[in-house]
Amino acid sequence: MNPSVAYFSMEIALEASIPTYAGGLGVLAGDTLRAAADLELPMIAVTLLHRSGYFTQRIGPEGVQYDEPARWSPEERLEPLDARLEVHLGDHRVRLRAWRYGVEGVRGGAVPVYLLDSDVPENGPDCRSITDRLYGDGPVARLRQEAVLGLGGIALLEAIGVEVDVHHLNEGHSALLAVALLERGEDLEAIRRRCVFTTHTPVPAGHDRFAEETVREVLGPGRMERLREIGAMVDGSLDMTRLALAVSRRVNGVSLRHAEVSREMFPGREMDAITNGVHVATWVSPPFAELFDRRLPGWREESANLRHAIGIELDEVEAARGAAKRNLIEVLHARGRPGFSADRFTIGFARRATAYKRADLLFGDLDRLRSIAARHGGLQVVYGGKAHPRDEEGRAMIRRVVEAARGIGDDVSVVWLEEYDMALAGILVAGVDLWLNTPRKPLEASGTSGMKAALNGVPSLSVLDGWWIEGCVDGMTGWAIGDDPRAPSDPAGELESLYRTLDEEILPTWRDRPEAWAAVSRWSIALNGSWFTARRMLLQYVQRAYSR
Ligand SMILES: *Cc1c(COP(=O)(O)O)cnc(C)c1O
């Protein structure tokens, strides 16, 4: 028997058209649940219902991002539950309802996802809006959301009569669930036996800390004392990561390198590495799905079958690559970019727009980039990604890319596509020739978009950080920017490496040796597509984290 698991996550990408996710964390959560449904694992998931969905993005001609909440109708997409729940936050009794969504697997298995919703008439306006927005404004709003996720999540399990063997905390946001278990009379040791924690980022802003007065106001003084006893109050603040560490039996980083970096952040703590993966059937584009159906039967059920892609003829790989690229070019034309052509080498870069991802590194030396493009018949670069509305540096990065693009001349065409979501991600990762990734080391805990690209035969050119340290076989599955993964980022050296590799290796291979290029595509699928999957990841969780 597999242990039963309740998976807690602040964001989950259920579908492209349900805007309850901001980026990699939510997409990973969705892919995990899709793999669990395929494997028919006894898993359920808990998250919040964000009625003001993660936002609609418009980008002005100067690169300014305009954002507005994305309206959607939960009533049309989710099934309401009759149960009413309650959590006590300070002086407030917050009433909650829940909605259900079923994630379906290939063999008919289903994972239920429960979305907690504070927008009920019994609540005052202050409490009604708690769950409204993903990552709400200001510390009080954020802590209330995390309290609803953790405390409300445990109340939900009770209300629907589900007992689980394991609570999987996907990031520290849900760690207050341990307080709910303590309040139900469990002791800390018993709780630790039933909690597993995945930490997702070494970026300090990704680790929530709440000042004492916020904790006292939102949770009340009694709970603050308990949190102090557990060791979660650090230097006068509630540290959600410390709380998650204190209440969990197992802790995982999301790549080998990330686990190493996390061990340095939390000395003395045992830290396993389970490298992320993506849900294969979700991210394989239609031309490759058709090819795999013909040549690798059963690939949806057993993603390891993709290793046999190595036996597919190169011209078949090339044909599928061509179809996926034409599809992207059509989308670009439909979005008012008639100048983009399937005959030009196309680079893709799309992910959350935030400073450490360095979307603008490519434009570090415009003259050099122009001359490389001119030498090799032109270049096209397709960007996508939203900056969190309050992330000023992320917004400025979009502006810098759009500005650089305007002055760069005819040999380099650049576009930043609006409204990056799962649907656009699927078209982009499959349609470009090369997936570029330039994070500042060691801040890319894993990264997953390059894995989606690999599934579609698209190699990466990436800084050696996160998953790429494990996935890069230089010249076969892609190329590395820089060499030593442990050396801190050196922007000038990385820029030199990026340009040189593009100019001397990548572009000449693409232009003059189409067979060699198709072989790189095929290696990407067989070596990386077959391994960096949510199925492999989840089976490792079952074996190394969920089972005792
Ligand atoms: C996969 C995905 C991401 C994550 O991209 P990274 O390169 O891992 O940061 C973010 N947003 C969307 C919509 C995605 O599909």
Side-chain angles (χ1 to χ4, degrees):
M1 256 316 264
N2 283 314
S4 58
V5 180
Y7 185 86
F8 284 74
S9 186
M10 187 56 92
E11 49 172 306
I12 303 181
L14 299 168
E15 291 177 24
S17 59
I18 299 186
T20 52
Y21 62 98
L25 182 71
V27 176
L28 179 86
D31 277 4
T32 301
L33 302 179
R34 287 181 272 277
D38 290 345
L39 287 161
E40 301 178 276
L41 293 181
M43 190 182 267
I44 72 167
V46 182
T47 185
L48 302 187
L49 181 80
H50 309 290
R51 285 175 182 270
S52 298
Y54 201 68
F55 62 90
T56 334
Q57 179 196 45
R58 292 285 167 262
I59 296 174
E62 256 86 56
V64 176
Q65 171 179 291
Y66 301 94
D67 34 72
E68 270 181 44
R71 289 284 151 208
W72 66 295
S73 303
E75 295 74 12
E76 288 167 19
R77 313 301 305 273
L78 309 171
E79 175 199 331
L81 258 60
D82 293 331
R84 286 293 184 276
L85 320 165
E86 201 172 270
V87 292
H88 291 255
L89 297 186
D91 302 330
H92 297 282
R93 273 170 65 199
V94 181
R95 271 62 154 236
L96 301 170
R97 64 186 304 195
W99 301 76
R100 190 176 177 285
Y101 177 92
V103 175
E104 283 166 23
V106 270
R107 291 184 304 188
V111 168
V113 180
Y114 295 95
L115 300 96
L116 299 171
D117 179 12
S118 66
D119 187 10
V120 296
E122 301 93 293
N123 284 333
D126 200 27
C127 292
R128 280 187 87 145
S129 63
I130 293 179
T131 55
D132 192 54
R133 266 166 203 258
L134 179 56
Y135 305 128
D137 280 324
V140 170
R142 286 288 290 265
L143 184 55
R144 288 169 129 197
Q145 291 189 324
E146 300 191 8
V148 166
L149 181 63
L151 307 171
I154 294 299
L156 171 88
L157 298 185
E158 224 168 44
I160 59 175
V162 169
E163 272 195 48
V164 293
D165 301 315
V166 179
H167 303 91
H168 185 164
L169 287 63
N170 188 45
E171 253 318 338
H173 307 124
S174 58
L176 288 167
L177 68 85
V179 171
L181 295 173
L182 283 172
E183 288 172 358
R184 282 159 177 75
E186 288 194 37
D187 65 42
L188 192 57
E189 263 324 295
I191 294 169
R192 290 185 81 246
R193 279 199 295 276
R194 292 169 58 208
C195 287
V196 166
F197 169 44
T198 301
T199 175
H200 281 270
T201 178
V203 179
H207 297 261
D208 284 325
R209 283 165 155 261
F210 299 103
E212 272 189 26
E213 65 264 25
T214 309
V215 179
R216 203 176 294 111
E217 176 188 337
V218 174
L219 301 176
R223 285 195 183 119
M224 192 163 87
E225 274 324 299
R226 292 211 129 151
L227 290 164
R228 202 185 301 285
E229 285 159 26
I230 298 175
M233 301 296 298
V234 181
D235 302 333
S237 317
L238 167 59
D239 183 318
M240 293 301 285
T241 304
R242 296 282 174 179
L243 176 59
L245 290 168
V247 302
S248 299
R249 165 173 54 92
R250 304 229 27 132
V251 186
N252 304 282
V254 291
S255 69
L256 293 171
R257 175 68 180 138
H258 175 234
E260 211 174 270
V261 172
S262 301
R263 277 180 216 117
E264 284 164 25
M265 291 173 73
F266 309 108
R269 185 64 216 216
E270 241 182 82
M271 191 84 56
D272 195 8
I274 296 183
T275 302
N276 282 344
V278 296
H279 184 252
V280 167
T282 301
W283 295 108
V284 167
S285 63
F288 278 96
E290 190 270 325
L291 175 59
F292 296 163
D293 281 339
R294 253 186 308 116
R295 300 297 307 272
L296 310 171
W299 64 276
R300 285 188 175 81
E301 288 79 14
E302 181 45 90
S303 47
N305 284 2
L306 293 178
R307 64 201 294 275
H308 301 298
I310 209 65
I312 299 178
E313 285 70 25
L314 291 175
D315 54 355
E316 293 211 69
V317 175
E318 254 184 317
R321 290 276 342 110
K325 187 171 184 181
R326 283 192 299 278
N327 185 33
L328 168 64
I329 299 297
E330 275 170 27
V331 168
L332 288 166
H333 291 177
R335 289 195 179 205
R337 299 289 171 154
F340 280 76
S341 151
D343 300 332
R344 274 189 168 188
F345 188 78
T346 305
I347 297 175
F349 185 110
R351 43 187 59 88
R352 228 161 20 90
T354 193
Y356 82 86
K357 305 261 194 186
R358 300 191 295 184
D360 50 343
L361 187 75
L362 178 65
F363 299 117
D365 181 343
L366 291 181
D367 288 335
R368 176 99 181 260
L369 184 62
R370 254 191 298 261
S371 78
I372 293 172
R375 225 181 349 268
H376 297 284
L379 267 183
Q380 301 176 142
V381 194
V382 185
Y383 281 93
K386 298 175 180 178
H388 188 284
R390 286 189 312 278
D391 180 355
E392 287 308 326
E393 284 185 78
R395 302 174 74 110
M397 201 173 65
I398 300 179
R399 279 200 303 278
R400 285 198 299 278
V401 168
V402 171
E403 272 164 23
R406 278 151 56 104
I408 202 164
D410 294 340
D411 289 319
V412 188
S413 319
V414 183
V415 60
W416 192 298
L417 293 175
E418 296 169 333
E419 288 284 82
Y420 188 58
D421 65 1
M422 270 180 83
L424 184 57
I427 293 164
L428 262 177
V429 295
V432 298
D433 296 304
L434 182 74
W435 196 249
L436 179 67
N437 193 21
T438 51
R440 184 149 40 86
K441 288 183 285 186
L443 301 183
E444 180 87 323
S446 166
T448 52
S449 57
M451 302 174 184
K452 303 169 193 169
L455 278 174
N456 292 286
V458 173
S460 284
L461 168 60
S462 170
V463 166
L464 281 174
D465 199 15
W467 86 282
W468 191 236
I469 300 172
E470 297 160 56
C472 178
V473 186
D474 209 76
M476 273 174 100
T477 60
W479 296 268
I481 297 174
D483 41 34
D484 182 0
R486 284 181 188 79
S489 270
D490 148 35
E494 286 166 334
L495 192 62
E496 171 59 30
S497 168
L498 193 170
Y499 287 152
R500 195 179 28 73
T501 311
L502 206 53
D503 192 22
E504 294 174 10
E505 297 190 44
I506 298 176
L507 287 164
T509 309
W510 182 78
R511 204 193 45 211
D512 302 331
R513 301 169 57 215
E515 279 212 1
W517 189 263
V520 166
S521 286
R522 196 169 66 178
W523 280 118
S524 297
I525 300 166
L527 278 175
N528 286 348
S530 67
W531 177 250
F532 294 97
T533 70
R535 177 186 173 87
R536 183 267 313 149
M537 170 188 72
L538 194 54
L539 289 171
Q540 290 182 329
Y541 271 105
V542 170
Q543 200 173 50
R544 302 195 339 223
Y546 299 160
S547 307
R548 271 162 245 169

